[in-house]
Amino acid sequence: MSARAVAAESTHRRILDAARARFMSAPYEEVTLAEVAADAGVTAQTVLNRFGSKENLLVEGAADFAVEIDALRATARRGDVRSAVRVVLRQYEMMGDATIRLLEQEQRLPAVAEVCRMGREHHRRSLEDLFGDQLPVEAGARRSALNALQAAADVYVWKLLRRDLGVSLAETARVMERLIRGALAPPE
């Protein structure tokens, strides 16, 4: 790679990292390109030249973060409920509050709605990958079981337990494991 390409990649990375920090700590509407640019050590025009808009920056930043989430989720053992819950909870402890903030804004902001849609699809695919062998083969039953699984492992379950009820992380893990085992159980 040429020195120029390395510098361009470094600038791109700094902008994405600065945007992530801002979007993780404040509602979308409160984040400005000027703040992201200052944090990244570039001008707002540089951010615009690279991403086109704040909306595009959010979407590309979310896609970039999904790569890290994939790496985290890859540490869960396939079919192992306890391992999967530990990994999901590690993710939620890291970014659950920011995710809840985004979800609260998705009806008003198309870029946020896109990020939320991507997140839901990503979460569902990862759960299907982790537990696919334990899901029913018949399409309707599989879809129903996957819906239950996705609900059991949802960020709102984490929020209810950790934030609303003040439950410990260990108890949250036990509850989510129970919910997931129920979702995977054959229907009666």
Side-chain angles (χ1 to χ4, degrees), residues 86-145:
R86 283 195 178 114
V87 168
V88 166
L89 287 179
R90 200 171 322 139
Q91 175 188 342
Y92 291 162
E93 290 291 315
M94 178 176 57
M95 61 179 282
D97 293 318
T99 301
I100 295 296
R101 258 195 319 278
L102 278 175
L103 290 166
E104 291 169 350
Q105 301 172 73
E106 77 175 311
Q107 297 303 314
R108 295 187 325 271
L109 303 164
V112 171
E114 175 62 13
V115 167
C116 292
R117 183 196 62 73
M118 288 169 34
R120 280 188 199 97
E121 287 179 2
H122 191 259
H123 185 55
R124 187 174 184 98
R125 279 192 310 272
S126 115
L127 290 169
E128 189 167 21
D129 182 55
L130 277 171
F131 298 108
D133 295 343
Q134 296 168 274
L135 296 172
V137 175
E138 191 274 317
R142 186 177 186 88
R143 187 172 39 259
S144 180

Side-chain angles (χ1 to χ4, degrees), residues 133-181:
D133 295 343
Q134 296 168 274
L135 296 172
V137 175
E138 191 274 317
R142 186 177 186 88
R143 187 172 39 259
S144 180
L146 192 53
N147 288 341
L149 185 59
Q150 189 168 1
D154 194 73
V155 70
Y156 281 116
V157 172
W158 169 85
K159 178 190 177 291
L160 172 69
L161 295 167
R162 293 288 286 145
R163 299 300 186 243
D164 300 345
L165 299 177
V167 172
S168 71
L169 186 58
E171 178 62 12
T172 299
R174 284 189 289 276
V175 169
M176 287 184 82
E177 285 175 29
R178 189 173 179 188
L179 292 170
I180 290 172
R181 288 184 205 292

Side-chain angles (χ1 to χ4, degrees), residues 6-153:
V6 169
E9 179 56 33
S10 173
T11 298
H12 193 82
R13 178 84 264 144
R14 285 195 326 271
I15 294 168
L16 286 175
D17 290 345
R20 178 187 305 171
R22 288 287 176 171
F23 288 129
M24 293 283 276
S25 64
Y28 176 84
E29 293 101 332
E30 293 178 16
V31 174
T32 69
L33 292 181
E35 292 168 331
V36 170
D39 293 350
V42 299
T43 66
Q45 189 59 52
T46 299
V47 175
L48 278 173
N49 289 346
R50 290 198 170 265
F51 296 94
S53 67
K54 181 171 135 178
E55 294 82 4
N56 291 344
L57 177 60
L58 175 69
V59 171
E60 187 169 333
D64 180 67
F65 197 33
V67 173
E68 288 181 39
I69 297 304
D70 281 344
L72 175 61
R73 294 234 173 155
T75 66
R77 291 183 304 277
R78 288 179 53 86
D80 184 327
V81 172
R82 180 164 288 151
S83 173
V85 167
R86 283 195 178 114
V87 168
V88 166
L89 287 179
R90 200 171 322 139
Q91 175 188 342
Y92 291 162
E93 290 291 315
M94 178 176 57
M95 61 179 282
D97 293 318
T99 301
I100 295 296
R101 258 195 319 278
L102 278 175
L103 290 166
E104 291 169 350
Q105 301 172 73
E106 77 175 311
Q107 297 303 314
R108 295 187 325 271
L109 303 164
V112 171
E114 175 62 13
V115 167
C116 292
R117 183 196 62 73
M118 288 169 34
R120 280 188 199 97
E121 287 179 2
H122 191 259
H123 185 55
R124 187 174 184 98
R125 279 192 310 272
S126 115
L127 290 169
E128 189 167 21
D129 182 55
L130 277 171
F131 298 108
D133 295 343
Q134 296 168 274
L135 296 172
V137 175
E138 191 274 317
R142 186 177 186 88
R143 187 172 39 259
S144 180
L146 192 53
N147 288 341
L149 185 59
Q150 189 168 1

